Amino acid sequence: MTVPYQPARLRQFLAELTRLVNDTAEEAPLLARGRPLLADLVRHDDWLAEPYTLPSPVRYQQYLLYADPLERFSVVSFVWGPGQQTPIHNHTVWGLIGMLRGAEISEPFVRTAEGWRAGGPSHRLRPGMVEAVSPTLGDVHRVSNALADQVSISIHVYGANIGAVRRSVFLADGTEKPFISGYSNATLPNVWDRSQETSAAA
Amino acid sequence: MTVPYQPARLRQFLAELTRLVNDTAEEAPLLARGRPLLADLVRHDDWLAEPYTLPSPVRYQQYLLYADPLERFSVVSFVWGPGQQTPIHNHTVWGLIGMLRGAEISEPFVRTAEGWRAGGPSHRLRPGMVEAVSPTLGDVHRVSNALADQVSISIHVYGANIGAVRRSVFLADGTEKPFISGYSNATLPNVWDRSQETSAAA
Ligand SMILES: [Fe+3]
Ligand SMILES: [Fe+3]
Ligand SMILES: [Mg+2]
């Protein structure tokens, strides 16, 4: 990282999300109030520690950054290597996707009698942009790294511990396959050590 | 670890503590309801991942396991090498100490005109035991590994993000030195991946 590391941004984001889920369990206000919080977070690219930015040559990485103990939300860093993409999949819970670095393409899908078909225009997300998914708004999409030669990173917030949610991948012929995504990482960033900044502020 | 790793115990403990701090901010019910939760956690020694059990030859280690984003509580693994001890110190917030492995000695102190003196009998904590500290109950103590040849581990819960709290170390002559403990670890255990156990339960 070439700029000073600012873990306080993630810490403040987690505090604000915790206040938000303490206030309401309804999707509409969660998305309405969560969206500007995530937009603020991804406006800067100086707070994500390096282990959570590393691509794998094998598949896109899903690094958990934080899970609410009551599983009301989770925050995940998705890291796309060049050319990587998800299968067509759903979420079953609300989600907010904020672009941090690079660019990704999200393609919405809808079910037809013949299988899954494009359900609207695909979106190109650039750094600072935020989009929402949910069973209410449209829950099925395929996401790809828009860049053939660079890593892209997006920060996802879900209305559950997404690593534990039973959801589905869809094949083009309409076949549905259950999956639980899990996480790529065994350890989470410790953004809670304020001994240096607290001392510095004294 | 020689027994199957059971991260669900820590996950459930964090959920119960989060419900507790959502219910009340008062010390008496927090300690009364927190104590049996911690006693349940330290009744088993199969849930703490190895990186958070490792002693340092230089000093006792304070591994953060979890911090509440609203800084209403934190959970820390204290790992004592043979012969290691803290200085005389306070906390300024409520704390619960649950013994997981080995044994430790806690010596209470009180201030006198001449400096700090033993403020009551010292306690020997054995696995499964829990004790409380707070400005109300008695906040100043010195803690030592009771074992000269083994590592001891206790699990501490504090009513704040303890790594950020301005508190004090006391010298025998009564001198007070401010300190902020910080944490020994840059990464926290990810106990939130339930993809295996969720699948296994299907
Ligand atoms: Fe998705
Ligand atoms: Fe202490
Ligand atoms: Mg509440």
Side-chain angles (χ1 to χ4, degrees):
Chain A
M1 218 168 278
T2 54
V3 290
Y5 175 52
Q6 302 289 354
R9 294 194 209 281
L10 178 56
R11 202 163 59 227
Q12 287 159 10
F13 178 68
L14 298 175
E16 285 163 345
L17 277 180
T18 300
R19 283 187 202 104
L20 178 51
V21 297
N22 277 348
D23 273 3
T24 183
E26 283 178 61
E27 180 182 303
L30 286 167
L31 290 174
R33 293 170 57 188
R35 180 186 277 271
L37 298 177
L38 182 56
D40 275 350
L41 182 68
V42 297
R43 185 164 294 136
H44 303 273
D45 185 7
D46 56 6
W47 56 268
L48 184 61
E50 196 196 21
Y52 313 99
T53 68
L54 300 177
S56 154
V58 177
R59 57 163 290 169
Y60 61 94
Q61 298 292 285
Q62 299 162 81
Y63 297 114
L64 179 67
L65 300 180
Y66 178 78
D68 172 61
L70 300 180
E71 298 186 316
R72 297 168 298 181
F73 72 91
S74 53
V75 180
V76 184
S77 172
F78 269 63
V79 181
W80 310 93
Q84 290 176 347
Q85 70 170 22
T86 67
I88 303 171
H89 66 275
N90 70 0
H91 310 86
T92 77
V93 295
W94 63 264
L96 286 164
I97 295 122
M99 202 72 214
L100 185 70
R101 195 179 299 178
E104 71 186 31
I105 307 283
S106 174
E107 300 165 87
F109 280 80
V110 290
R111 195 194 291 271
T112 68
E114 295 81 40
W116 291 90
R117 294 288 176 269
S122 62
H123 314 289
R124 186 183 178 101
L125 291 178
R126 292 179 186 76
M129 290 174 66
V130 174
E131 76 160 14
V133 292
S134 86
T136 314
L137 300 172
D139 197 35
V140 176
H141 67 169
R142 179 169 58 194
V143 183
S144 318
N145 190 345
L147 306 177
D149 57 355
Q150 277 181 52
V151 170
S152 292
I153 303 176
S154 52
I155 306 302
H156 297 219
V157 185
Y158 297 100
N161 174 4
I162 196 68
V165 171
R166 294 167 188 277
R167 48 194 180 123
S168 299
V169 159
F170 304 98
L171 307 186
D173 67 4
T175 310
E176 184 166 346
K177 305 195 78 166
F179 89 114
I180 299 169
S181 55
Y183 296 114
S184 309
N185 52 323
T187 62
L188 311 181
N190 180 359
V191 294
W192 306 104
D193 190 334
R194 301 202 280 111
S195 58
Q196 297 313 309
E197 51 200 285
T198 304
S199 299
Chain B
M1 217 168 276
T2 54
V3 290
Y5 174 52
Q6 302 289 354
R9 294 194 209 281
L10 178 56
R11 202 163 61 227
Q12 286 160 10
F13 178 68
L14 297 175
E16 285 163 344
L17 278 180
T18 300
R19 282 186 202 105
L20 178 51
V21 297
N22 277 348
D23 273 2
T24 183
E26 284 179 60
E27 179 182 303
L30 287 167
L31 288 175
R33 293 169 57 188
R35 179 186 278 270
L37 297 177
L38 182 57
D40 275 351
L41 182 68
V42 297
R43 185 164 295 137
H44 303 273
D45 186 7
D46 57 5
W47 55 268
L48 184 61
E50 196 195 21
Y52 314 98
T53 69
L54 300 177
S56 154
V58 178
R59 57 162 290 168
Y60 63 92
Q61 298 293 286
Q62 298 162 81
Y63 297 114
L64 180 67
L65 300 180
Y66 178 79
D68 173 60
L70 300 180
E71 299 187 317
R72 297 169 298 181
F73 72 91
S74 53
V75 181
V76 184
S77 172
F78 270 63
V79 180
W80 311 93
Q84 290 176 346
Q85 69 171 20
T86 67
I88 303 170
H89 66 275
N90 69 1
H91 310 86
T92 78
V93 295
W94 63 264
L96 286 164
I97 297 122
M99 202 73 214
L100 184 70
R101 195 179 299 179
E104 71 184 32
I105 308 282
S106 173
E107 301 166 87
F109 280 80
V110 290
R111 194 194 291 271
T112 68
E114 295 82 41
W116 292 90
R117 294 290 176 268
S122 62
H123 315 288
R124 186 183 178 102
L125 290 180
R126 293 179 185 78
M129 290 173 66
V130 174
E131 75 160 14
V133 293
S134 87
T136 315
L137 301 172
D139 198 35
V140 177
H141 68 169
R142 179 170 58 195
V143 183
S144 318
N145 190 346
L147 306 177
D149 57 354
Q150 278 182 51
V151 170
S152 292
I153 302 176
S154 52
I155 305 302
H156 297 218
V157 185
Y158 298 100
N161 174 5
I162 196 68
V165 171
R166 294 168 187 276
R167 48 196 179 122
S168 298
V169 159
F170 304 98
L171 308 186
D173 67 3
T175 310
E176 185 165 344
K177 305 195 77 166
F179 89 114
I180 299 169
S181 56
Y183 296 113
S184 309
N185 52 324
T187 62
L188 311 181
N190 180 357
V191 295
W192 306 104
D193 189 334
R194 302 201 282 111
S195 59
Q196 296 313 309
E197 50 199 286
T198 305
S199 299

